[in-house]
Every structure is written in structure tokens, then in C-alpha cells.
Amino acid sequence: MPAAVRWLIVCAIVAVALGVAIWPRGNEGAAPTAPAAAPSTSASPGELAAARTRAALPPCPGGIGAKALAGKPLTCLGDGAPVDLAAAGNRPVLLNIWAWWCGPCRVELPVLAEVAARAGDRLTVLGVHADANAAAGLDLLAELTVALPTVQDPQALVATTLGAPRAYPVTVLLRADGTVAGVHAQPFTSVDDVASLLRSELGVTL
């Protein structure tokens, strides 16, 4: 084979290798996504009841005044009861949208539990579990010993309706009249960071 032809072949191989190396990966820097091999979402009634007992979540609020969610009933993760978030509320709300497989959520959920404890009846803190695996969500809360009222929202109705990205965790702050005061697609690692937002956007002090 002539030397010139061999040289062209070598150059072509190097060019292909370089192209593969620099080709952009579509999910670099993307928000966390559900694991490819998620466990089954179908738990037996007994398994789900046991998970609810372990988590021991408080009841969900009867409503938070989010009129945009009218006609979109959800269920309470703690007891399976229907929840109408469009029903009247009487205080500002912190909605935290999370999923059992989300690493940053594991850090943030205990922080929000502390926020809820400090705020008392001046603020409603409500979790929104945005994954179909209710039992896994309950087990995570039990593991973290976080007892926040939480609704189950596998179709992401809350995020879609309130204009929140499907990147978890994401926190939505609602005024007492149910209107959106702020959407924050970031994990919070300290109570002070959350307190600053509550003070500036909702006028709530911890």
C-alpha cells in the first residue's frame, strides 16, 4: 500500500477518535433524573400501610389557597386521603418538591423540617413527592426522621401548574392568598438561607 494512502488512513482514524472525544454529552450539567432501574412503584396495601406507620407523617392541610390547582386533586402521602390544594388557606406556604432518589433532597428535607418547627403557625411547610413510588418516599422520610405533611404528585401537577422546573429539589413560596411569590430551583443546606428568603418574599421571620 502506498505510503500516502497509509498516511490518509491514519489521519482519518485520528479525526474520528477526536470527534468522539469532543462530542457533547446531552446530560452534562442536567438536573438529577430518576434512576434507570427504579424499584417497582406497586407496593401491596400492607407494605404501603407499614411504610406509612414507619414515617408517621402528620395530616396534610385541608388547603393552601392555590387556586391555580383547582380541579387537580392530589393524595396525602401520609394517609392516602384526597387533598384539594385550591381550598382556602390562611397563611403563607413553602412548597418543597422532591423525590426519593434525589441526593440533594436528603440534605434539604431535614433543614425544612427545622424551618417548619421554628415557624409554627406562621407558615405552612408542605412537601410534594414527585415520584410514583410512594413507599420509597415514605421510607426516605422515615430514614431521615422528617415528619412533614406531604402530598403525592407523580404527574408533577404542582410543578407544572405553578411554573416550577422539574429539577429537584425545587421550592415554591406562596403568599397567604395562594399566589406565587418565588420559585427556587436549588437545594437549601441551612435554615438561615431559607429564613432569608421567607423574610424577603413572604414577610415571615423565624
Side-chain angles (χ1 to χ4, degrees), residues 100-142:
W100 65 268
W101 42 262
C102 163
C105 300
R106 299 178 65 94
V107 176
E108 185 179 67
L109 284 165
V111 170
L112 297 180
E114 177 62 23
V115 168
R118 293 191 190 184
D121 60 6
R122 289 169 291 159
L123 178 75
T124 295
V125 179
L126 180 65
V128 180
H129 184 230
D131 186 273
N133 196 327
L138 288 160
D139 285 342
L140 176 62
L141 293 175

Side-chain angles (χ1 to χ4, degrees), residues 56-162:
L57 302 186
C60 292
I64 59 173
K67 298 179 180 63
L69 290 166
K72 299 177 181 179
L74 302 169
T75 58
C76 189
L77 184 63
D79 57 14
V83 179
D84 180 9
L85 296 184
N90 58 3
R91 65 186 70 166
V93 180
L94 184 156
L95 286 175
N96 181 252
I97 307 172
W98 60 279
W100 65 268
W101 42 262
C102 163
C105 300
R106 299 178 65 94
V107 176
E108 185 179 67
L109 284 165
V111 170
L112 297 180
E114 177 62 23
V115 168
R118 293 191 190 184
D121 60 6
R122 289 169 291 159
L123 178 75
T124 295
V125 179
L126 180 65
V128 180
H129 184 230
D131 186 273
N133 196 327
L138 288 160
D139 285 342
L140 176 62
L141 293 175
E143 176 189 340
L144 299 175
T145 63
V146 168
L148 283 176
T150 302
V151 295
Q152 178 72 358
D153 184 20
Q155 282 78 43
L157 296 176
V158 173
T160 301
T161 303
L162 299 182

